[in-house]
Amino acid sequence: WINYKPMLSDDEIYNLCMTFLTMGHENVATAISWFIITLAENPDVQDEIREELKPSNDRNPTPKSTKLVSSFYETMRLFPSVPALTRMSTKENIVNGYKIPPGYEVFVPIYSTNRDQEVWGEDNEDFNPSRFKDQNKCPYFSTKGLPDAISFGVGARACLGRPLSMVEMKATITTLLLKYQISSKRSEKTKANNFVSLRPGKHEISFTPIPSVAKM
């Protein structure tokens, strides 16, 4: 212990703590906020998820919903909490004929990539959760079989908090949908504001109790 030499400097530890605070709180809250807004603006999808979430008579106390997960991924495709990220090249690479020397910073435009019509088709701007249901149809699928619209990053430096964010999302949205009908009071779609994270613009959401479901 006397000869111990820390692997990280004080500045690096401070920066990591700030990253955990920002990514683990603000980004998750932003993602769930966008999901609530998206469900409010798409009541048909909301009803389908609620139907899947209704408690069953089997011994599994945790409701499962493929529609819930695919809808969340589609929300993250359209409204990624982190709209862009940067990576440092560690060796020379050639991408689409362009040479990238080592030590260069590469900008990855997540927001625009997730809406690229050449990748996602003519409905690239539409909310369509079904695109994430079939691995053979979705343009992006990670090596672990998880649908990726690069919203969580990719590779060795992908988001470490992805599993936790999924648990938090499921717990929050399941609780809300089983008790409330969520609706938007505005006719136009909510626009995004980019301030560190991609935050929702002006919106009005109402939560109406569902007595028959809330008592279950």
Side-chain angles (χ1 to χ4, degrees), residues 130-187:
S130 62
R131 75 173 83 245
F132 283 104
K133 292 182 64 176
D134 190 345
Q135 181 170 348
N136 296 321
K137 294 181 180 179
C138 183
Y140 286 104
F141 258 86
S142 70
T143 55
K144 294 183 179 180
L146 297 172
D148 274 313
I150 70 173
S151 302
F152 290 92
V154 292
R157 294 178 60 84
C159 177
L160 291 175
R162 177 177 183 158
L164 177 59
S165 69
M166 292 298 295
V167 171
E168 293 176 321
M169 177 278 295
K170 289 180 180 180
T172 302
I173 299 301
T174 297
T175 301
L176 290 176
L177 289 187
L178 288 178
K179 293 185 177 182
Y180 302 99
Q181 179 72 37
I182 307 173
S183 57
S184 175
K185 292 186 176 182
R186 295 164 56 86
S187 57

Side-chain angles (χ1 to χ4, degrees), residues 2 7 66 73 90 119 134 176 179 183 198-200 210:
I2 295 177
M7 298 290 291
T66 56
Y73 279 127
T90 58
V119 176
D134 190 345
L176 290 176
K179 293 185 177 182
S183 57
L198 195 70
R199 299 178 181 177
I210 309 176

Side-chain angles (χ1 to χ4, degrees), residues 82-87 106-113 150 154:
V82 180
L85 53 80
T86 58
R87 291 289 184 264
V106 180
F107 179 81
V108 183
I110 295 177
Y111 182 88
S112 57
T113 301
I150 70 173
V154 292

Side-chain angles (χ1 to χ4, degrees), residues 28-43:
V28 174
T30 301
I32 293 177
S33 296
W34 272 119
F35 197 15
I36 292 173
I37 292 171
T38 303
L39 291 177
E41 295 176 350
N42 296 272

